[in-house]
Amino acid sequence: RSILMTIAAQRPLAGVIAALGNMGRNAAIPRLVAGLSDDFTRHVASAALLKLGTAARPMLIETALRPVPSAAGETATSRRTRWSAIGLLSEIGLTAEQWFVLKPLTDASDVRLAALACRLALATNQPLPDREAAVRGLIRLLRSSDWLLTLQIEGWLAESGDLAVRIINRAVDAGDGLIQNETVRRSLLRVIAGSAAKNLASSSALECRDTSSSRPAGPATNCPRNRKRA
């Protein structure tokens, strides 16, 4: 173990990071988190940290909060590491107290970091006011996101389902100027359309179960309302 730790400290190769991860030892967490900073080791380091789960959470929180070398002069590597840390926390989960510490990141000047922090509130099912604020934050960030982040934000809003639709409708009813932004408007139309399609699919699946349970045994018709009654 000490040999692997030494090699990882000197030259964090993907194979070394993977081997450390396979050990499942909490002592490897600092090296695994360091592996998030390198394009070649990020994937295996992320997988290993996910396996360690909540044990990795304190260091991931610390990493997400700490720009290197400083907030004013943060490097691109530091930003990518923090993005990865927040992404992992979205999967591992947070307590309400831990979320309170990370919540200020929703107002970060880095657009992707702020978006990931908003998603963190949604993914970890934080209190409703915080989730509502996160949806509003994601909508606001659509004005300045690049095309890839825009697609991701649309997906995160769609995942939040009725919550996002309600907030979008409220903004429309209130005449919110943000909704008048053409880029934002197009994105939100896609979110609403996607949510409607998802609800329709869920409704259709439910109808299929209802009709199949009440129908006498016979050849299946793969529903969509029993293929127009076959």
Side-chain angles (χ1 to χ4, degrees), residues 89-182:
L89 289 168
S90 291
E91 299 190 57
I92 292 170
L94 289 176
T95 65
E97 292 76 14
Q98 290 166 332
W99 161 246
F100 183 78
V101 173
L102 291 163
K103 185 176 176 179
L105 293 178
T106 59
D107 293 319
S109 58
D110 180 85
V111 175
R112 178 169 288 277
L113 186 66
L116 285 165
C118 289
R119 182 221 179 188
L120 182 62
L122 298 172
T124 58
N125 197 32
Q126 295 305 319
L128 181 60
D130 287 342
R131 284 184 282 129
E132 290 179 332
V135 168
R136 290 192 293 269
L138 289 172
I139 293 171
R140 183 181 68 251
L141 291 166
L142 284 168
R143 291 180 300 182
S144 49
S145 56
D146 59 31
W147 69 270
L148 178 57
L149 182 56
T150 294
L151 291 176
Q152 291 175 312
I153 289 175
E154 289 176 11
W156 299 334
L157 288 172
E159 286 172 3
S160 69
D162 290 343
L163 176 63
V165 173
R166 286 200 307 271
I167 290 173
I168 292 169
N169 287 335
R170 281 181 209 161
V172 171
D173 292 342
D176 191 325
L178 179 59
I179 305 299
Q180 306 308 315
N181 179 288
E182 184 62 22

Side-chain angles (χ1 to χ4, degrees), residues 7-24:
I7 295 173
Q10 295 173 349
R11 192 179 181 191
L13 300 172
V16 175
I17 296 297
L20 281 176
N22 288 335
M23 289 180 173

